[in-house]
Amino acid sequence: MNASPSLGAGALAGLFVRSRLRSFRNGLRARGRRRQPIVIAIAGLVTSLAYVGLFSQAFSVVVASVDLAGQVAALTVVAGALALGSFSAKAASSEAVRAGSAENEFLLARPVSLAALVAGRGLADAITDPMGALFLFPVLLSAALVWRLSPAAWPMAVAISAAVQVSISMFAYATQLVVVRAIAPARRRLVWMGLRLCAALALAGVWMVGTWVLRMPALLAAKLVTAGPWLRWTPGALIAAPLAALARGEPSWALASLGLLWAAAAAALFGAMAIARRAGMGGWEEAGAPWAEAAPAPRADGRLVTAATKDLRLIVRDRGQLLVLIAMPAIFVGVQIFGAAGWSWSTGNLARVSCLAYSLALYMATIGPLTHMQAERRAFWILRTVPVPLGRLLAAKARAWSVVVGGAGLLVFSGLVLVMPSASGAAVLSAGVLVTGGAVAISFLAVGMASGGADLSDEQSAAVGPTTIYAFLLVGSLYNLVLTGDWATRVSGLALYLFATVAYWRAGVARAEICMDAEAVRTPQLRIAEGATLLIVYSFGQRGLAAIDMAVGTEGAAAIAVLRLVLVLVVGGVAVSLLRRRPPTPPWRGRASSSVIGVGLGALVALLLAHLRVVGGPASPSRAPLVWLGIAAALAAEEALFRGVVQRTVEEDLEARGLRSWWARLGAAGVTVVLGGIAVVLGEGHTTRAVVVAVAGGQVAAALGRAFTGRLGAAWIARLAAVSGAAFF
Amino acid sequence: MIETVGLGKRFGDTAAVVDLDLRVEAGEVMGFLGPNGSGKTTTIRLLMGLLRPTAGRAAILGHDCHRDAVALKRDVGYLPDEPFLYPYLTGLETLELVGGLHGFSAVETRRRAGALAERLGLGAAARGYTVTYSLGMKKRLALALALIHEPRVLILDEPTNGLDPAGARQMRAAIGEYAAGGRTIFLSTHLLEAAERLCHRVAIIRAGALQAVGTPDELRIRFASAPGTTLEDLFLRVTEVEATGNSKGPGGS
């Protein structure tokens, strides 16, 4: 019997395209947690449109500022940066041609040559992954639109993008092949690390170029005019050439340039295939496998491994992770400084230096302790089968990380203090303590939040998803107010930050207990942690609007009031959706008596406020019916958050800790009143004591209304009665 | 010693374990048999407190497996089906870590780790990263982790799965040695010959429900089999009877 001939690159590319498109189509039809493809598709589309809009705007400024040579230079820089970023990211992170990956093992077990696999995959990428070249296509499209080129330029942009993508894939694959063939396994991990670092720097470069183009396009273009002759010899010039020729009115030259680009892509394709053919399969089967590329075993250092030191050893030994941990935060902060704010502004005073040092610690915590459950992903059973409470194990882990993150924060702060304008020793000391304390606390928050979001029941999904990462960055950024605000803001911010940290820690420990149980982790939860996040979102939103309010003055007051209402309604809506996750606890009083209690409490508070002469000033609302409707809606939304989510979950938590029912209710009421006050201080920025007392009064009435009746409605009535009473008395 | 009462676990619409009533006495070696996907690993994870039961309860040595999971683990050792390990810790370091977590002093932890590494044939590989281990080595290390605190109860999930004949024999010998010491063992396995040799009683589970439990001889009598009938024949008969829906066979549970 004749052996079947091996599959060619074109046929293999066709198979890849068909199977990927089918998989994508199935993903679009999927429901529930498997609906990721549709989310990705929508996000990709929206992001592309946004890029087209943003770059079109920036490029219009370039076009208005400099001549065509300058415009082409700007496009060359952007296209070149995107191509470089895309290439380095692909070469460093893609395991497409490394034999250690499961997919390659699967494919190479068929009659498929490595050369055909490399070429087929690269060609298929150009068709099935239109964003593979890091949004090059939207950028080219924007240039065509701004230059008002004929519609023929659109397919040309597609063809350019596809050619660039094929070239990038081929160069990236060839790089990986050379690494695998030329570097000994024990040294290979070092090379992969180097490639990853290059990728991170290249992507940071892309980010900064993007920032410059969007923030100061005219200035950038003016500077680039002088660099034009040099840029002509970069790969970016080859990418920009076809559209630039069309812009000059030379269509034949445009076609020739496009042909040259595709010739380069073909050369890259055949070059990569030739390298793959030479690489063959000898030794290939081990490439990329962690066991083959592991560093030699360590010398015994005599120190016992503990729950705390385990993570540190794993990081130090997994040098790729170590590199990422050190390099990425520095790159993030570097991009912020050099791409946007500028060095002199960033180090202008003690508060900014504190923020910078803390930001670095926050990014480090995002990459380090926040991803710890990913490191535990497969070995977590070991921690779950020892007779130690998980809370203690997680605390040991957080302590270990706090040394790294806190140390990094302190180190950076100390370095920056030396280059900033002089400040008093006491101020520097207190700022240093605050930065280090915040960095230490952020380690505990990271371990808690990651455990709280961890799902180790499904091998295919990441242990920590993007929602957890964004929520972590949101909660973590609250500490910036502690570093930069006035004393009231600092105290309030610190209190809310600590409340959120404790809430997330407790939620994390509880979740880690069940993180291997698919059913349990997917059961919707209502926890204090969610309430804390909503409070932070609400406070930040109000603070932002207050800042805009101050900037626009009385002219924009009505618009700001509407925006405030929208914000509170959105937050309230989310709170209601959280409440629907769990059935309400049975109230301990009837509807009618609860309403009476609510009115009574509200009236009492209103009388008290009137007696204290707190109301009648800036806290008194207008008496227009539409305003009252808005106030009623806003209070209902606020109550859904404060009483519905926060007070209820705190109450349940206190009861679970063994507190008697009544004490738990009163304790939870007290906590929400304090949080209500904090939200006002943080949300308003600069507020009067009268406003705080008036709002706190309403909060007391509502909190007691909920505590006495167990009804959200009673709390809302109490709050409404307090506000309306205060306005009319 | 080990007791489950009406134990159940559902994953969405799928019932992985249904109303499981089982009792394993002190010093007994109980084989837990069942086809792939029958609920063996889920049951074991419920016993170890790794999963939360949706019905009923399980207890080991009087400790509730869910509510009292921490205290339970002082006396229970566990070998999972796929023993994943921290890739960049060595075998000895992993043993030291777990010894420390069981509360042993540094000296005692090292003594136990060294002794177990030698006894289970980890040899020089114990000083290498676990990422370089073969499956057999990983299983041996995982067994050492399960034994480091000399537990009274040992729960083993497919201990010989994926091992070569020599490795499987070594593993069986280690388990036999441990059983001879009078410890209680709950052993999930596909190797029916080994189960017959090692286990005092066997429980057969299918589609999450217990089908039969008893000594191999009792099961032979219950299913009216000839004295020479192997456990494999019995296993196939019990599971096939249920699979074809004919549950009226002699002794059908």
Side-chain angles (χ1 to χ4, degrees), chain A residues 541-566:
Chain A
Q542 291 281 21
R543 193 176 181 83
L545 290 173
I548 298 170
D549 196 11
M550 282 188 72
V552 298
T554 50
E555 286 171 14
I560 296 295
V562 171
L563 285 176
R564 280 181 190 274
L565 181 62
V566 169

Side-chain angles (χ1 to χ4, degrees), chain A residues 57 101 120 160 273 399 458 510 569:
Chain A
Q57 198 181 8
S101 77
I160 295 168
M273 285 180 77
R399 275 201 303 277
D458 178 7
L569 290 179

Side-chain angles (χ1 to χ4, degrees), chain B residues 1-252:
Chain B
M1 186 61 76
I2 300 177
E3 188 181 31
T4 69
V5 180
L7 188 67
K9 178 68 186 173
R10 297 187 71 85
F11 293 109
D13 296 333
T14 309
V17 176
V18 184
D19 199 22
L20 186 69
D21 292 319
L22 201 59
R23 191 176 169 82
V24 185
E25 301 300 336
E28 187 179 18
V29 181
M30 166 73 87
F32 196 47
L33 315 179
N36 290 334
S38 58
K40 298 191 296 295
T41 297
T42 302
T43 304
I44 282 179
R45 287 183 171 180
L46 285 165
L47 288 176
M48 284 309 298
L50 300 176
L51 299 180
R52 200 160 57 177
T54 42
R57 63 178 189 85
I60 301 179
L61 298 165
H63 297 292
D64 185 279
C65 293
H66 176 54
R67 285 196 301 272
D68 209 4
V70 171
L72 165 95
K73 285 156 193 168
R74 289 197 191 98
D75 288 314
V76 180
Y78 168 56
L79 171 69
D81 179 15
E82 292 179 47
F84 294 109
L85 303 158
Y86 294 108
Y88 291 104
L89 288 186
T90 67
L92 272 179
E93 284 174 339
T94 313
L95 280 164
E96 286 172 8
L97 168 70
V98 173
L101 292 173
H102 276 285
F104 300 126
S105 67
V107 174
E108 179 63 11
T109 295
R110 287 219 172 87
R111 187 190 68 73
R112 286 175 183 245
L116 271 170
E118 195 169 324
R119 188 171 133 208
L120 294 174
L122 288 168
R127 297 186 189 283
Y129 290 138
T130 63
V131 71
T132 61
Y133 282 18
S134 66
L135 179 63
M137 289 297 290
K138 281 183 183 169
K139 286 234 167 184
R140 266 187 261 180
L141 175 58
L143 183 63
L145 295 177
L147 295 176
I148 196 161
H149 57 301
E150 294 176 2
R152 290 160 65 192
V153 176
L154 195 56
I155 295 179
L156 309 172
D157 191 2
E158 308 277 7
T160 52
N161 208 11
L163 298 186
D164 61 24
R169 177 175 285 184
Q170 280 175 349
M171 181 64 79
R172 278 199 304 274
I175 296 166
E177 188 186 324
Y178 194 76
R183 264 60 176 247
T184 307
I185 298 180
F186 189 74
L187 169 74
S188 149
T189 182
H190 275 119
L191 296 179
L192 303 173
E193 192 191 343
E196 184 148 30
R197 210 179 310 153
L198 283 171
C199 302
H200 301 123
R201 286 194 303 153
V202 294
I204 300 176
I205 185 175
R206 199 188 73 79
L210 191 65
Q211 303 299 320
V213 61
T215 66
D217 286 339
E218 282 172 355
L219 294 184
R220 279 187 196 99
I221 293 166
R222 194 187 299 172
F223 287 88
S225 303
T229 306
T230 63
L231 190 57
E232 184 174 295
D233 294 330
L234 271 174
F235 173 81
L236 289 174
R237 179 173 293 188
V238 170
T239 51
E240 273 173 12
V241 162
E242 292 301 320
T244 53
N246 178 9
S247 58
K248 292 179 184 173

Side-chain angles (χ1 to χ4, degrees), chain A residues 654-692:
Chain A
L654 292 176
E655 275 193 58
R657 291 164 73 87
L659 221 61
R660 284 193 177 176
S661 187
W662 264 109
W663 287 113
R665 287 177 203 171
L666 289 175
V671 168
T672 47
V673 169
V674 172
L675 289 171
I678 286 172
V680 173
V681 174
L682 290 179
E684 295 302 325
H686 304 281
T687 188
T688 62
R689 188 177 295 175
V691 171
V692 176

Side-chain angles (χ1 to χ4, degrees), chain A residues 332-648:
Chain A
F332 282 144
V333 174
V335 165
Q336 279 176 12
I337 294 174
F338 298 108
W343 174 256
S344 54
W345 188 90
S346 302
T347 56
N349 61 38
L350 197 55
R352 288 180 205 156
V353 162
S354 301
C355 269
L356 204 56
Y358 174 74
S359 295
L360 189 123
L362 181 63
Y363 287 130
M364 189 174 255
T366 311
I367 295 163
L370 193 69
T371 56
H372 76 96
M373 290 306 272
Q374 196 63 42
E376 295 287 1
R377 144 123 277 158
R378 310 194 96 184
F380 198 60
W381 66 273
I382 295 177
L383 299 188
R384 294 289 284 111
T385 54
V386 293
V388 182
L390 261 181
R392 266 174 56 197
L393 292 174
L394 293 176
K397 188 190 276 281
R399 275 201 303 277
W401 273 107
S402 67
V403 173
V404 177
V405 177
L410 181 61
L411 195 70
V412 172
F413 176 79
S414 308
L416 290 175
V417 159
L418 295 177
V419 298
M420 77 164 211
S422 64
S424 76
V428 169
L429 188 67
S430 63
V433 169
L434 272 180
V435 168
T436 312
V440 167
I442 205 80
S443 306
F444 282 82
L445 180 70
V447 170
M449 284 186 87
S451 305
D455 178 2
L456 300 190
S457 67
D458 178 7
E459 287 285 320
Q460 303 304 315
S461 60
V464 176
T467 314
T468 307
I469 294 170
Y470 289 127
F472 172 71
L473 289 172
L474 174 84
V475 178
S477 62
L478 175 65
Y479 200 76
N480 283 318
L481 294 183
V482 180
L483 296 171
T484 57
D486 55 39
W487 73 268
T489 305
R490 285 179 184 230
V491 171
S492 305
L494 188 62
L496 185 54
Y497 182 73
L498 291 177
F499 174 74
T501 303
V502 171
Y504 271 108
W505 181 263
R506 292 173 59 77
V509 172
R511 172 66 174 259
E513 301 271 1
I514 54 158
C515 68
M516 297 168 93
D517 187 333
E519 191 62 16
V521 294
R522 271 155 220 167
T523 305
Q525 303 268 327
L526 179 63
R527 309 172 300 184
I528 305 174
E530 274 86 34
T533 310
L534 272 184
L535 271 176
I536 293 169
V537 170
Y538 185 45
S539 303
F540 275 166
Q542 291 281 21
R543 193 176 181 83
L545 290 173
I548 298 170
D549 196 11
M550 282 188 72
V552 298
T554 50
E555 286 171 14
I560 296 295
V562 171
L563 285 176
R564 280 181 190 274
L565 181 62
V566 169
L567 173 70
V568 72
L569 290 179
V570 168
V571 169
V574 176
V576 169
S577 75
L578 286 174
L579 286 171
R580 288 177 62 188
R581 288 180 176 185
R582 233 171 45 191
T585 48
W588 34 91
R589 281 191 194 280
R591 208 179 292 270
S593 60
S594 296
S595 301
V596 172
I597 288 173
V599 171
L601 283 167
L604 198 65
V605 164
L607 278 171
L608 199 63
L609 291 175
H611 178 71
L612 293 172
R613 298 178 189 281
V614 169
V615 292
S620 295
S622 158
R623 299 182 183 191
L626 200 62
V627 172
W628 276 106
L629 197 65
I631 287 172
L635 290 180
E638 268 204 354
E639 285 311 300
L641 168 61
F642 282 103
R643 252 51 64 184
V645 176
V646 180
Q647 190 165 333
R648 176 180 159 184

